[in-house]
């Protein structure tokens, strides 16, 4: 469909049509004349199409009203009056992305699909949800997703008193989010910098403020902000625009009127404030102390300045050897130094901070940053450092791999400018010319002037410290609820019981079949044939065995070197992780650590080293273990790709005790953050280690056992350093040889040939024959509960399912049914956990998990009851087709070429049948209700014999009745 400036199509007047090389397409900007809705069409040939609608939603308080609306408008609408249309889409559509996001000043609703009819269906449900939601008819949606009271009755036998508490999905989510001191730091920094704007508030909601939000204010806020004249629609990809525009116009834009006359809250611009200095007490562990500086960059209207600041932060603080970060690390202010750009707001901020901060370092942080900035302005920023950062930014923008459908991050980027200026719908998508100007400016002081203005002469900055304090029992919330309970009459208590009963009735009443039938859905016949991955080749005529993946990569080449490490001893495993962490971050035989950092970043897109255990399908005893050296570069740097990775790996020197200690502390801090913020993954991995040898190995490599090893090493660092140096040097010489090495290359055949001409035998010695020596200890069930600094819990329970039956494509279908039906309803909707899921791996491990969960005992009980639910599974034909469609869509979802290659490499090393993915797809397509019911035997085994693990809040863990081996992980 061609577009002409000035023409009107389905009520949309076209205002601009411009080529956009950054997306290999063009950008068409339109405005719907009747409704005022804005529309940007990013037109290209990407089959993974996307739609999003966004609203300007600047908060006026910290009640989280926009976050609660983001959740609750997706709980039924006028056209689709079922309780959970969002969940219905997750389990019945071919979506490749389906979510919604609350930002500090906007709310976005993006979806993506490779199927045009499916995208139309998703768009229809989302448009009706945001514009005609059931929130005006059902107060229970506000209570479920936002907050409500619950009354726990006294139990004299158990010794538990009557207790009043808050519950609600967003309430529990934000308790978890604001248990993270870095989230608190971001919130407090914005509040200090922008006290007179919407950024002074927590748009997600503060747990102390969420319960002050009334249902009436919530409805009023929706009416004023979810208006078409306050909306921004973005289309992306190979879309039938005539069909999409016609549907939007006829169904929504030409028929829906605003509910109220008053429009949205203003965003506002803050006048400069200098030297704001704030200390925020937080009841948390001492390890969570953190401090940050914030410097206002300018406004979002100056995209080039914002992008240049991103480059500058990377150059000065992106790696341990970057000039300002090195100076801060040498000062030993804390565990790690971090920096990032807080963009996607009207006044972006450059943030520089310290995690695991030592007491009293706040002032010194500012002094060192500003002294170093002034020195660099005076003496000049090293050009090779700036060049390396420019190369990194350019590579990432060219690669365009954010892990999700491209149309979603591109919509976010577009909104980073468009929200603040009607004339900037594509400004934040056009990076080629600004980067070219930055390169031209390297010799005329471009970045020095920016640094001088941003930091040295800043007239708008703040310094914030999160100061850990001893938690006061159960804190303000418990005291507030106790006071509320004491003031309640019996009639008040009964009102709470009645409200909860109404909420439960709403949650438990099945949707009427006629309402379910109104939801659009695809059928198995709509899926289309399989699209197998392109075949790869195993090349023996190259200097080393090579797996060649000829895939379109936009002239970016990827290489993976797989070194067999099954000849290591068990005691070597954690040292192998240290070898991976140190490689590329220390000096080599010919270059200093700073030179290595610049050298790799300027010539490579990426360089990563990591150990990777693999286990055969349905045979947990058949384990292989490899060290993977992964690197990438643009095709113009093929010789660098051929030489740099192995030179770094084979000649890294392990003799710089200070730098190595810095890296180890950073790793320890990172693990502690993962335990508190991604505890669902940690708990699931820990349960697996009770049952599977390969998971025991993973724990020793990067889990709780590795963390304990790391802490002990740091506690005795000086006395153990010489032994550490000797061990790493020994491992380096043993591992990096040609014996047992397999290399994988992703790119064109021409680039493959150029790679091997430059690489030869990679300069590696032949090495000794590999003899398997690794003996993994037998798993032991421990049923642990790890206390970590958070206000929520993460719960997992699982078992080995191999004895009940082998893995097949039925399991992904069963997982969709479980996760988005029973578990969503019982654990998320009723229990208040922010996330929940089930998975069975091909190796036979099956487990449940929860995320940001206010419960332990209740969640475990609901896991155990899942078997009965699945045994009685009786979906309608449409429901069953929906489960199959969504599962196969996930199977078929497009992924980037490098991920296709890694998937094929894994299959090669596991010796999977060539057609295994196609067979799994056929098994998914052949799933029946009876075959899914048969899967309940595995769930029953979890209930009867399963092991469990919890990461979370101490009070919650110690209050649980489930038998737990409690461990204070950070203080043991």
């Amino acid at each position: 469909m061609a577009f002409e400036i000035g023409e009107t199509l389905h009520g949309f007047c076209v205002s601009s049509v411009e080529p956009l090389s950054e997306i290999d397409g063009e950008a068409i900007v339109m405005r719907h004349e009747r409704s005022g809705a804005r529309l940007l069409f990013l037109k290209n040939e990407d089959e993974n199409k996307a739609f999003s609608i966004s609203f300007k939603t600047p908060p006026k308080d910290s009640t989280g009203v926009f976050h609660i609306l983001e959740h609750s408008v997706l709980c039924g609408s006028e056209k689709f009056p079922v309780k959970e249309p969002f969940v219905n889409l997750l389990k019945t559509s071919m979506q490749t992305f389906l979510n919604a996001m609350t930002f500090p000043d906007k709310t976005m609703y993006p979806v993506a699909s490779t199927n045009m009819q499916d995208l139309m269906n998703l768009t229809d449900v989302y448009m009706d949800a945001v514009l005609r939601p059931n929130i005006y008819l059902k107060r229970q949606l506000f209570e479920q997703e936002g907050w409500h009271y619950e009354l726990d009755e006294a139990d004299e036998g158990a010794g538990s008193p009557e207790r009043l508490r808050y519950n609600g999905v967003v309430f529990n989510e934000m308790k978890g989010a604001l248990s993270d001191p870095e989230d608190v730091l971001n919130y407090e920094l914005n509040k200090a910098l922008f006290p007179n704007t919407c950024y002074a508030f927590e748009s997600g909601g503060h747990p102390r403020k969420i319960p002050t939000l009334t249902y009436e204010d919530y409805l009023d806020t929706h009416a004023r902000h979810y208006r078409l004249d306050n909306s921004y629609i973005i289309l992306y990809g190979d879309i039938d625009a005539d069909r999409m525009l016609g549907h939007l116009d006829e169904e929504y834009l030409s028929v829906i009127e605003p509910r109220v006359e008053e429009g949205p809250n203003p965003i506002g611009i803050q006048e400069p404030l200098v030297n704001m200095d704030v200390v925020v007490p937080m009841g948390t562990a001492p390890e969570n102390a953190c401090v940050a500086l914030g410097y206002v960059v300018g406004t979002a209207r100056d995209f080039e300045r914002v992008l240049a600041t991103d480059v500058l932060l990377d150059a000065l603080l992106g790696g341990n050897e970057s000039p300002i970060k090195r100076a801060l690390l040498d000062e030993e202010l804390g565990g790690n130094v971090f920096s990032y750009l807080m963009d996607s707001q009207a006044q972006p901020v450059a943030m520089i901070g310290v995690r695991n901060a030592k007491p009293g370092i706040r002032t010194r942080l500012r002094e060192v940053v500003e002294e170093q900035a002034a020195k660099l302005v005076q003496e000049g920023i090293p050009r090779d450092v700036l060049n390396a950062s420019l190369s990194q930014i350019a590579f990432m923008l060219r690669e365009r791999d954010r892990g999700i459908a491209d149309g979603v991050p591109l919509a976010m980027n577009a909104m980073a400018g468009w929200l603040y200026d009607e004339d900037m719908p594509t400004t934040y998508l056009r990076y080629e010319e600004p980067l070219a100007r930055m390169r031209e400016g390297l010799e005329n002081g471009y970045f020095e002037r920016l640094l001088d203005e941003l930091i040295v002469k800043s007239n708008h900055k703040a310094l914030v410290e999160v100061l850990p304090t001893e938690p006061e029992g159960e804190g303000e919330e418990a005291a507030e609820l106790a006071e509320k309970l004491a003031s309640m009459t019996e009639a008040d208590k009964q009102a709470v019981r009645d409200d909860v009963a109404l909420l439960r009735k709403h949650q438990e009443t099945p949707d009427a079949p006629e309402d379910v039938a109104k939801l659009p859905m695809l059928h198995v016949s709509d899926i289309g044939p399989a699209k197998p991955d392109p075949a790869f080749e195993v090349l023996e005529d190259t200097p080393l065995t090579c797996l060649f993946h000829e895939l379109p990569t936009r002239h970016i080449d990827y290489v993976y070197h797989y070194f067999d490490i099954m000849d290591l001893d068990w005691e070597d495993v954690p040292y192998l992780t240290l070898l991976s962490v140190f490689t590329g971050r220390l000096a080599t035989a010919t270059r200093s650590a700073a030179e290595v950092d610049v050298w790799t970043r300027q010539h490579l897109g990426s360089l990563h080293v990591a150990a990777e255990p693999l286990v055969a399908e349905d045979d947990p005893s058949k384990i292989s273990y490899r060290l993977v050296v992964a690197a990438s570069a643009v095709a113009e740097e093929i010789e660098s790709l051929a030489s740099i990775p192995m030179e770094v790996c084979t000649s890294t020197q392990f003799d710089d005790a200070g730098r190595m200690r810095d890296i180890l502390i950073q790793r320890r801090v990172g693990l502690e953050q993962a335990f508190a913020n991604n505890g669902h993954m940690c708990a699931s991995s820990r349960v697996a280690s009770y049952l599977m040898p390969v998971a025991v190995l993973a724990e020793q490599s990067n889990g709780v056992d590795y963390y304990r090893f790391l802490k002990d090493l740091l506690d005795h660092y000086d006395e153990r350093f010489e032994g550490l140096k000797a061990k790493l040097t020994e491992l380096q010489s043993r591992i990096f040889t040609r014996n047992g090495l397999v290399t994988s290359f992703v790119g064109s055949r021409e680039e493959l040939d150029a790679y091997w001409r430059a690489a030869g035998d990679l300069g590696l010695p032949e090495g000794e024959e590999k003899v398997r020596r690794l003996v993994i200890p037998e798993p032991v069930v421990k049923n642990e509960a790890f206390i970590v600094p958070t206000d929520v819990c993460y719960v997992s329970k699982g078992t080995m399912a191999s004895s009940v039956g082998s893995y097949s494509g039925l399991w992904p279908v069963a997982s969709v049914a479980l996760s988005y039906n029973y578990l969503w309803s019982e654990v998320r909707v009723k229990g208040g956990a922010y996330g929940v899921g089930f998975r069975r791996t091909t190796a036979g491990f099956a487990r449940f998990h929860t995320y940001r969960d206010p419960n332990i005992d209740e969640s475990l009980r609901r896991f155990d009851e899942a078997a009965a639910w699945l045994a009685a599974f009786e979906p309608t034909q449409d429901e069953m087709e929906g489960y199959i469609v969504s599962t196969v869509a996930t199977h078929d979802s497009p992924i980037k070429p490098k991920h296709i290659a890694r998937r094929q490499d894994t299959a090669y090393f596991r010796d999977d049948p060539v057609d295994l993915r196609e067979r799994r797809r056929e098994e998914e397509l052949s799933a029946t209700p009876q075959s899914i019911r048969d899967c309940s035997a595995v769930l029953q085994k979890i209930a009867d014999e399963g092991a469990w693990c919890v990461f979370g809040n101490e009070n919650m863990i110690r209050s649980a009745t489930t038998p737990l081996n409690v461990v204070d992980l950070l203080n043991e």
Side-chain angles (χ1 to χ4, degrees):
M1 182 178 183
F3 295 87
E4 298 290 339
I5 295 174
E7 74 173 322
T8 299
L9 304 162
H10 301 290
F12 289 92
C13 181
V14 179
S15 58
S16 69
V17 181
E18 298 178 0
L20 188 55
S21 61
E22 287 85 349
I23 68 162
D24 304 313
E26 60 182 355
I28 301 102
V29 180
M30 306 176 230
R31 188 84 177 236
H32 191 261
E33 293 177 317
R34 184 182 184 281
S35 68
R38 305 157 189 82
L39 189 141
L40 169 64
F41 180 20
L42 301 174
K43 181 183 179 184
N44 64 11
E45 295 182 359
D46 192 341
E47 65 167 333
N48 204 358
K49 299 168 268 286
F51 159 90
S52 71
I53 183 167
S54 304
F55 300 92
K56 186 182 293 185
T57 54
K60 63 178 182 179
D61 54 38
S62 293
T63 59
V65 61
F66 291 116
H67 190 185
I68 297 168
L69 282 169
E70 175 228 306
H71 281 239
S72 53
V73 300
L74 294 172
C75 295
S77 65
E78 182 179 307
K79 190 187 290 189
F80 309 110
V82 298
K83 294 198 300 292
E84 298 277 6
F86 174 75
V87 182
N88 282 80
L89 293 174
L90 284 172
K91 63 189 181 184
T92 62
S93 75
M94 295 182 69
Q95 56 85 20
T96 55
F97 186 90
L98 183 73
N99 214 328
M101 293 88 88
T102 303
F103 292 81
D105 54 15
K106 61 181 170 286
T107 309
M108 294 187 69
Y109 295 86
V111 295
S113 178
T114 57
N115 182 290
M116 186 62 206
Q117 181 58 55
D118 192 44
L119 186 71
M120 295 293 293
N121 294 346
L122 296 168
T123 298
D124 203 22
V125 173
Y126 263 41
M127 287 294 289
D128 204 61
V130 297
L131 297 172
R132 296 185 287 222
N134 275 349
I135 60 173
Y136 293 90
L137 305 176
K138 297 182 178 180
R139 183 189 180 100
Q140 289 79 19
L141 301 181
F142 165 71
E143 295 170 346
Q144 172 181 291
E145 300 299 323
W147 75 277
H148 62 276
Y149 289 117
E150 292 197 3
L151 189 64
D152 295 333
E153 305 295 343
D155 186 339
E156 293 182 9
S160 56
E162 185 180 50
R163 184 169 72 107
L164 187 69
R165 58 187 172 90
Y166 297 122
N167 202 356
V169 174
V170 168
F171 177 81
N172 291 321
E173 177 188 352
M174 295 311 297
K175 284 192 76 171
L178 292 178
S179 298
D180 181 352
E182 207 163 307
D183 275 7
V184 175
L185 194 67
N186 289 349
Y187 163 53
E188 294 291 346
L189 189 63
N190 257 337
K191 187 162 70 170
L193 287 168
F194 310 115
N196 302 318
T197 75
C198 66
Y199 304 111
F201 306 110
E202 173 53 71
S203 61
H206 194 290
R208 304 301 306 119
K209 299 294 183 182
I210 291 172
T212 67
L213 178 64
T214 68
Y215 179 57
E216 292 71 26
D217 283 345
Y218 155 88
L219 294 181
D220 177 67
T221 302
H222 178 270
R224 289 191 298 109
H225 293 80
Y226 280 59
R227 302 158 51 109
L228 288 168
D229 58 353
N230 187 41
S231 70
Y232 302 77
I233 297 170
I234 300 177
L235 309 178
Y236 168 83
D238 184 17
I239 283 178
D240 182 340
D242 184 59
R243 183 180 175 193
M244 177 66 80
L245 297 178
H247 181 74
L248 290 172
D249 173 54
E250 294 166 15
E251 293 293 322
Y252 300 102
L253 306 189
S254 286
V255 297
I256 292 182
E257 302 288 347
R259 293 176 182 271
V260 295
E261 291 301 317
E262 184 183 357
N265 306 329
I267 290 178
I269 293 291
Q270 178 69 51
E271 291 300 314
L273 299 167
V274 183
N275 292 336
M276 299 295 292
D277 195 338
V278 179
V279 178
V280 182
M282 180 180 179
T284 188
E287 294 85 356
N288 280 337
C290 52
V291 183
L293 279 160
Y295 297 92
V296 176
V297 175
T299 73
R301 287 180 170 85
D302 191 347
F303 168 59
E304 184 170 325
R305 183 179 178 87
V306 174
L307 183 60
T309 299
D310 208 8
V311 174
L312 187 65
L313 286 175
D314 185 73
L316 302 184
L317 292 122
N320 279 5
E321 302 310 314
S322 302
I324 293 181
K325 184 169 185 179
R326 183 73 259 162
L328 290 168
L329 290 173
D330 289 344
E331 288 281 331
E332 298 184 353
L333 302 180
N336 195 11
V337 173
F338 64 93
S339 66
Y340 47 84
L341 183 68
M342 296 166 64
D343 56 359
S344 290
Q345 56 188 54
Q347 292 170 278
V349 176
M351 185 175 183
I352 301 169
V354 177
R355 297 186 182 104
N356 192 210
K358 293 181 179 178
I361 62 98
R362 189 170 75 256
T363 302
R364 187 58 185 151
L365 170 64
R366 178 164 52 200
E367 290 172 351
V368 173
V369 168
E370 296 184 355
E371 287 167 3
Q372 290 297 314
K375 179 181 177 183
L376 289 165
V377 169
Q378 183 67 32
E379 298 177 1
I381 305 168
R383 290 299 175 266
D384 57 351
V385 172
L386 287 170
N387 255 319
S389 291
L390 279 167
S391 296
Q392 282 290 297
I393 295 288
F395 179 89
M396 287 187 290
L397 291 169
R398 177 168 165 181
E399 187 181 39
R400 218 161 61 211
D401 184 9
R402 295 272 292 273
I404 55 177
D406 285 355
V408 178
L410 287 170
M412 294 180 193
N413 291 348
M415 290 302 300
W418 200 14
L419 190 76
Y420 314 107
D421 192 322
E422 296 284 342
D423 297 326
M424 292 175 56
T426 62
T427 301
Y428 274 70
L429 303 175
R430 299 181 181 279
Y431 57 81
E432 290 178 349
E433 290 184 9
L435 287 176
R437 285 191 291 271
M438 290 176 212
R439 289 199 181 277
E440 291 170 4
L442 287 175
E443 302 308 321
N444 65 22
Y446 181 105
F447 284 100
E448 285 78 7
R449 288 191 297 275
L450 175 60
L451 180 59
D452 192 37
E453 295 166 4
L454 179 67
I455 293 180
V456 179
K457 296 176 182 173
S458 173
N459 67 345
H460 197 170
K461 60 185 178 181
L463 178 61
V464 174
E465 177 178 6
V466 172
L467 184 65
T469 60
E470 191 68 29
E472 300 176 3
E474 294 193 18
E476 293 179 6
E477 180 186 316
E480 176 183 276
L481 287 165
E483 183 180 349
K484 173 72 175 177
L485 180 60
S487 70
M488 293 175 73
T489 66
E490 185 55 41
D492 294 331
K493 294 177 184 179
Q494 189 57 46
V496 170
R497 297 185 190 103
D498 291 344
D499 286 344
V500 172
L502 285 172
L503 177 58
R504 291 288 179 266
K505 181 179 179 182
H506 163 77
Q507 293 167 337
E508 294 173 357
T509 302
D511 290 318
E514 60 270 23
D515 289 337
V516 174
K518 295 174 184 176
L519 281 167
M521 69 171 293
L522 298 181
H523 296 276
V524 170
S525 59
D526 297 314
I527 292 177
K531 294 181 180 178
D533 292 339
F536 68 98
E537 299 177 56
V538 181
L539 305 178
E540 301 291 353
D541 58 350
T542 46
L544 297 166
T545 299
C546 179
L547 310 181
F548 173 45
H549 308 269
E550 190 170 13
L551 298 167
T553 60
R554 306 181 81 228
H555 298 292
I556 294 174
D557 295 318
Y558 301 90
V559 65
Y560 303 95
H561 301 292
Y562 297 95
F563 293 90
D564 187 344
I565 50 176
M566 288 299 291
D567 63 330
L568 301 184
D569 295 313
W570 176 249
E571 293 74 19
D572 294 332
V573 170
Y575 290 97
L576 179 66
T577 303
L578 297 187
L579 178 73
S580 304
V581 169
F582 289 139
T583 300
R585 303 178 72 186
L586 300 173
T588 65
T590 58
R591 289 178 170 85
S592 69
E595 289 169 337
V596 169
D597 183 61
V598 170
W599 183 47
T600 55
R601 286 154 56 78
Q602 185 167 353
H603 297 287
L604 300 178
S606 61
L607 175 61
H608 301 292
V609 183
E612 183 176 273
L614 291 177
V615 60
E617 183 170 315
D618 271 327
D619 187 356
S621 66
K622 190 175 179 182
I623 298 168
S624 62
Y625 199 32
R626 289 175 180 80
L627 189 70
V628 185
V629 178
S632 61
V634 294
E636 298 87 340
E637 291 280 4
I638 196 76
E639 292 188 2
S640 298
L641 185 63
S643 61
I644 292 176
M646 285 305 100
E647 183 174 341
V648 170
C649 287
T650 58
S651 65
T652 293
Q653 307 293 293
F654 306 106
D655 53 9
D656 192 330
R659 280 181 167 79
M660 290 167 68
R661 188 200 299 264
D662 289 341
I663 294 168
L664 293 178
I665 292 172
Q666 291 166 348
R667 289 292 296 164
R668 191 206 76 216
V669 172
L671 285 167
E672 289 168 353
Q673 289 184 306
F675 296 146
N677 299 325
N678 292 300
H680 60 305
M681 297 174 64
C682 301
S684 298
S685 298
R686 193 67 179 173
V687 172
S689 76
Y690 303 157
L691 305 164
M692 298 177 69
V694 72
V696 175
L697 178 59
E699 282 290 296
Q700 187 77 348
S701 300
N702 203 33
V704 168
D705 295 334
Y706 172 70
Y707 172 73
R708 287 168 165 159
F709 163 85
L710 192 57
K711 279 182 63 177
D712 183 66
L713 176 61
L714 284 167
D715 288 343
H716 305 91
Y717 186 72
D718 292 336
E719 63 196 80
R720 290 177 59 180
F721 178 72
E722 288 302 320
L724 172 65
K725 174 182 173 181
K727 172 57 71 175
L728 294 173
T729 303
E730 178 214 344
L731 288 175
Q732 182 185 56
S733 63
R734 285 175 60 189
I735 292 171
F736 294 118
T737 69
R738 298 199 303 274
N739 204 313
L741 171 62
V742 175
T743 292
S744 174
F745 184 89
V746 192
S748 70
R749 192 169 295 274
E750 179 183 1
E751 289 154 7
L752 169 80
D753 293 341
Y755 175 81
W756 283 115
R757 282 196 301 272
D761 63 5
L762 299 175
L764 297 173
E766 177 65 28
E768 297 179 2
E769 184 178 351
K770 299 287 185 179
V771 178
R772 184 185 181 103
R773 294 164 53 185
L774 186 64
V775 178
I776 302 170
E778 286 297 312
V780 177
V781 174
K782 299 175 182 177
N783 292 339
E784 296 153 305
F786 295 103
I787 295 170
V788 293
T790 178
D791 289 338
V792 291
C793 281
Y794 307 88
V795 184
S796 183
K797 184 173 183 179
T799 194
M800 290 304 295
S802 306
S803 62
V804 185
S806 60
Y807 182 86
S808 77
L810 296 176
W811 278 104
V813 182
S815 297
V816 168
L818 273 168
S819 297
Y820 295 124
N821 198 321
Y822 171 79
L823 291 174
W824 184 279
S825 173
E826 293 297 318
V827 181
R828 188 183 191 276
V829 173
K830 296 180 187 176
Y834 184 49
V836 63
F838 171 85
R839 185 185 177 212
R840 178 180 170 174
T841 69
T842 60
F845 177 55
R847 54 85 172 153
F848 296 96
H849 76 268
T850 66
Y851 177 74
R852 290 182 181 170
D853 192 348
N855 305 302
I856 296 174
D857 298 329
E858 293 88 342
S859 293
L860 288 168
R861 176 179 58 79
R862 286 164 170 143
F863 292 166
D864 291 348
E865 293 170 355
W869 181 87
L870 197 63
F873 182 63
E874 285 286 358
T876 65
Q877 182 176 341
D878 281 352
E879 286 172 336
M880 190 66 210
E881 283 204 65
Y883 295 134
I884 294 171
V885 166
S886 63
T887 303
V888 175
T890 300
H891 185 107
D892 291 351
S893 180
I895 59 174
K896 298 293 184 183
K898 67 178 181 180
H899 301 304
I900 293 174
R902 287 282 278 146
R903 182 165 72 194
Q904 292 180 325
D905 291 351
T906 297
Y908 170 82
F909 288 119
R910 290 197 318 193
D911 200 24
D912 289 344
V914 174
D915 64 344
L916 182 60
R917 289 197 74 247
E918 286 69 34
R919 281 163 39 189
R920 290 286 177 259
R921 187 179 190 272
E922 287 303 314
E923 290 165 357
E924 292 167 359
L925 286 167
S926 65
T928 65
Q930 182 58 53
S931 66
I932 299 302
R933 286 194 291 273
D934 291 342
C935 293
S936 65
V938 168
L939 306 192
Q940 191 60 52
K941 187 179 181 187
I942 296 176
D944 295 341
E945 305 173 14
W948 54 85
C949 180
V950 177
F951 280 71
N953 176 269
E954 180 171 7
N955 289 332
M956 292 181 179
I957 286 172
R958 296 200 185 277
S959 299
T961 59
T962 301
L964 298 168
N965 293 310
V966 180
V967 180
D968 189 351
L969 185 56
L970 275 58
N971 300 304
E972 64 177 342

